[in-house]
Amino acid sequence: ILAFTWRYSIHGEQPLPLRTCIIVFWHEHMLAGWHANRLMKSTALVSLSKDGEILSRILKGWGISTIRGSSSQAGKEALENMIEHLENGTSIMLTPDGPRGPRHIFKPGAAIASIRTNTPLFLTYIKEEHAVIFKKSWDQFKLPLPFSKVHLHYKKVTYLGDSNSKDLIADFIAECESIMKEER
């Protein structure tokens, strides 16, 4: 009920529901990020943890299916599952610094899936105007307050380099991280 009171302000090139893409946002903004994009034909990557189980139930209630796995558990299987979903026309949403951090460090999974399937990434910077911040959590998790305005800034990026060049792919991942860290 709380999430349906949030008001969204969209900036940049917003992903379209009928176009396959990968939408990423930092772990601390996951509730607002997933809720704002819930109308996409999408699947969310959620960890295998107990918290991930709770989150999967919330997402299911919002009409978002899940892939279970993360960089720290069942990572290879989760990546292959993401690629299969993308090839079948389903968009993916994930937090590139989750599930355990470090905070604001862009792990390679989203970029690798994007490169292997030639699918655009929508890097999403999110700012909640009024939120409770859980300062003791590794990610500084933010829970928007009722009727809070949530700003979503989208930046579409596509990898155009050699898909076999580890250096170019590492540069692309670093560029994605830098864009995600820009304050708007």
Side-chain angles (χ1 to χ4, degrees):
I1 294 172
L2 171 66
F4 288 97
T5 71
W6 300 335
R7 297 167 294 136
Y8 297 104
S9 173
I10 307 299
H11 310 273
E13 185 179 351
Q14 183 178 12
L16 300 173
L18 300 177
R19 298 260 174 114
T20 305
C21 65
I22 302 170
I23 303 168
V24 297
F25 36 83
W26 294 130
H27 195 271
E28 69 196 67
H29 305 288
M30 67 178 162
L31 287 184
W34 278 317
H35 188 262
N37 292 291
R38 71 191 178 284
L39 300 179
M40 297 285 296
K41 179 186 173 193
S42 62
T43 298
L45 179 62
V46 178
S47 77
L48 291 167
S49 68
K50 291 177 187 176
D51 288 346
E53 182 59 35
I54 295 167
L55 184 56
S56 288
R57 290 182 196 155
I58 292 170
L59 295 176
K60 184 178 180 184
W62 292 345
I64 301 170
S65 61
T66 59
I67 297 171
R68 300 300 301 275
S70 66
S71 58
S72 58
Q73 290 183 308
K76 182 178 179 184
E77 295 84 1
L79 177 61
E80 293 305 321
N81 208 340
M82 283 194 311
I83 289 169
E84 184 179 325
H85 276 75
L86 291 164
E87 288 173 342
N88 290 326
T90 302
S91 293
I92 299 291
M93 292 188 283
L94 63 97
T95 58
D97 60 341
R100 292 190 253 163
R103 183 175 184 243
H104 294 183
I105 299 300
F106 200 102
K107 294 178 188 158
I112 299 299
S114 171
I115 292 166
R116 287 192 187 168
T117 60
N118 196 30
T119 302
L121 277 169
F122 282 83
L123 308 174
T124 313
Y125 175 85
I126 299 174
K127 179 162 179 41
E128 300 89 345
E129 284 190 6
H130 303 286
V132 173
I133 301 171
F134 293 80
K135 295 186 185 247
K136 290 187 180 182
S137 65
W138 70 266
D139 63 350
Q140 303 291 296
F141 181 76
K142 292 175 178 58
L143 178 63
L145 294 172
F147 304 100
S148 180
K149 190 165 193 179
V150 179
H151 300 273
L152 293 102
H153 299 262
Y154 293 100
K155 170 86 174 176
K156 180 181 174 183
V157 296
T158 304
Y159 180 76
L160 300 174
D162 179 356
S163 62
N164 295 313
S165 171
K166 290 182 181 181
D167 290 339
L168 290 177
I169 292 170
D171 289 346
F172 179 64
I173 292 167
E175 177 188 358
C176 289
E177 181 177 304
S178 177
I179 291 169
M180 295 266 305
K181 288 181 178 177
E182 290 176 13
E183 291 210 25
R184 292 169 186 91

